[in-house]
Amino acid sequence: MSDVPDPCYVAALRILKYRFNSEAELRRKLLRKKFEKDEIEKTVVRLRGEKWLDDERFAAAFVRTRANKRVGKLRIRRELHAAGVSNSDASDAVAANVDPEREQEALLELGRKRARMLVRRHGPDYLATSEGRNKLAAYLLKQGYYAGLVYEALKEISVVDHQPDS
C-alpha cells in the first residue's frame, strides 16, 4: 500500500464520523461527491471488511433511536427502506428492538399529548366530535402505529380524558 490516502475512503470515513449510514446512503453520498462507481465499490468493500459499514447494526441502532422518539413500527420500517436497508434486515431490526409494551405506552403518551394540543386549539368538546377523533387517529397513523393499536389507544384516551369532574 502507498502512503497516499485514498480520497474516496477518507471522504467515506468523514461521512461515517457523524453518524451510522446504511450502505446505500453512503453510496449515494459518495456519488454526489463525484467519485467513480468502481472507487466507491472498493471503498464499500473495505469499510465492510473493517466493520465500519453494517446494515444490520445500522438498522438496529436506527430502530432504537426512532422508537425512543415515539415513532411506530410502520414508519420506522418505511424510513429504513428509504435509507436503503433491505426489507428482511428492517423487519428483523424492528422485531428485535421494539418492545410491544413500550410501543403501546409511547402511543398513549403521544395520543394524550396530541389530544391536549387539539383541545387547546379547538375547544374542550372537540375530541368528542368525529372530526376531532379522526384528526387524532390520522395523526397517530401517520406516526407509523398500526390501526388496531390506534383504535385501542383512542378508546383509552377518551375514557381517561373525558370523565366528568366530581
Side-chain angles (χ1 to χ4, degrees):
M1 285 203 124
S2 67
D3 291 343
V4 179
D6 178 12
C8 186
Y9 179 75
V10 171
L13 286 178
R14 274 196 203 114
I15 291 168
L16 291 171
K17 178 173 77 171
Y18 292 102
R19 76 167 182 85
F20 275 145
N21 281 258
S22 70
E23 193 174 305
E25 284 178 320
L26 185 63
R27 286 178 191 276
R28 280 193 297 264
K29 290 176 182 181
L30 291 173
L31 274 172
R32 270 187 265 146
K33 291 184 175 286
K34 308 284 190 238
F35 289 107
E36 297 295 323
K37 287 187 180 198
D38 60 326
E39 276 184 291
I40 293 171
E41 185 58 35
K42 280 191 271 183
T43 298
V44 166
V45 168
R46 181 176 174 187
L47 290 169
R48 236 188 280 132
E50 295 173 351
K51 304 290 187 220
W52 283 100
L53 267 184
D54 183 351
D55 277 358
E56 290 176 18
R57 193 175 68 182
F58 166 78
F62 186 89
V63 169
R64 285 190 299 273
T65 300
R66 297 300 284 157
N68 285 337
K69 292 184 179 186
R70 297 187 207 114
V71 176
K73 289 179 187 178
L74 294 172
R75 184 168 170 188
I76 293 171
R77 199 174 285 134
R78 278 193 310 265
E79 290 173 353
L80 282 171
H81 184 68
V85 175
S86 72
N87 285 334
S88 63
D89 285 348
S91 295
D92 293 346
V94 168
N97 292 289
V98 176
D99 176 29
E101 277 184 32
R102 285 193 64 208
E103 183 183 31
Q104 183 70 27
E105 292 169 12
L107 172 61
L108 284 170
E109 190 177 328
L110 186 63
R112 287 187 179 117
K113 182 178 178 182
R114 187 65 172 194
R116 286 190 301 273
M117 190 277 302
L118 289 170
V119 166
R120 273 194 314 272
R121 188 175 288 169
H122 300 286
D125 296 329
Y126 185 68
L127 289 180
T129 67
S130 61
E131 180 188 0
R133 307 293 290 163
N134 289 341
K135 193 167 270 208
L136 180 57
Y139 174 77
L140 295 173
L141 289 169
K142 183 180 171 194
Q143 297 309 307
Y145 292 100
Y146 286 103
L149 287 176
V150 169
Y151 178 72
E152 292 299 317
L154 288 176
K155 287 195 300 192
E156 192 165 326
I157 290 169
S158 68
V159 168
V160 171
D161 297 338
H162 287 89
Q163 290 184 352
D165 294 331
S166 299

